[in-house]
Amino acid sequence: QVQMVESGGGLVQAGGSMRLSCAASGRTFSSCAMGWFRQAPGKEREFVAARRWSTSTSSYADSVKGRFTISGDNSQNTVYLQMNSLKPEDTAVYYCAASRICYTGSDYQPNMYHYWGQGTQVTVSS
């Protein structure tokens, strides 16, 4: 069994920064991509960012481009999300995810990912 554990959430003022971490443990597996999603109250889960290991490329939602940076270590199945210039609308529960099988152009789709963390709350105050 694989466990994904996020850390680093909390409360921050608008304009501040926060770094989220996620590590996979348990059964050994090889991921082709890892990503971050978020869900605000009353809204659907949405894509934030993803990192595809084979091509060393990252993708971002338009709402976070230029403010968030995803990074990680494929060999350790760890992924990070550096969030700068945070806004109140970034408030949500943030989930990390890992995929064993990747499809071209699908990094933003939740159903591409096989393993999910429990989520960490990020609250941005105005």
Side-chain angles (χ1 to χ4, degrees), residues 5 8 21 25 32 34 41 44 50 54 59 64 72 94 96 101 107 118-119:
V5 179
S21 302
S25 62
C32 57
M34 293 183 73
E44 293 186 355
S54 62
S59 55
V64 307
Y94 283 70
C96 70
I101 303 172
D107 292 5
Q118 293 298 308

Side-chain angles (χ1 to χ4, degrees), residues 62-126:
D62 288 343
S63 59
V64 307
K65 274 181 185 175
R67 300 188 297 123
F68 291 11
T69 302
I70 188 170
S71 62
D73 185 337
N74 181 22
S75 65
Q76 300 293 321
N77 278 330
T78 57
V79 68
Y80 308 98
L81 186 68
Q82 177 66 43
M83 305 184 292
N84 299 327
S85 302
L86 282 160
K87 305 175 181 180
E89 50 263 44
D90 294 318
T91 295
V93 177
Y94 283 70
Y95 299 89
C96 70
S99 177
R100 292 183 288 107
I101 303 172
C102 292
Y103 302 95
T104 301
S106 299
D107 292 5
Y108 66 96
Q109 295 182 341
N111 59 13
M112 191 187 83
Y113 297 86
H114 302 89
Y115 307 113
W116 290 84
Q118 293 298 308
T120 184
Q121 176 70 46
V122 173
T123 303
V124 184
S125 63
S126 57

Side-chain angles (χ1 to χ4, degrees), residues 43-56:
K43 295 188 177 181
E44 293 186 355
R45 189 170 299 190
E46 65 174 3
F47 169 74
V48 176
R51 181 72 175 173
R52 190 171 283 230
W53 306 125
S54 62
T55 56
S56 297

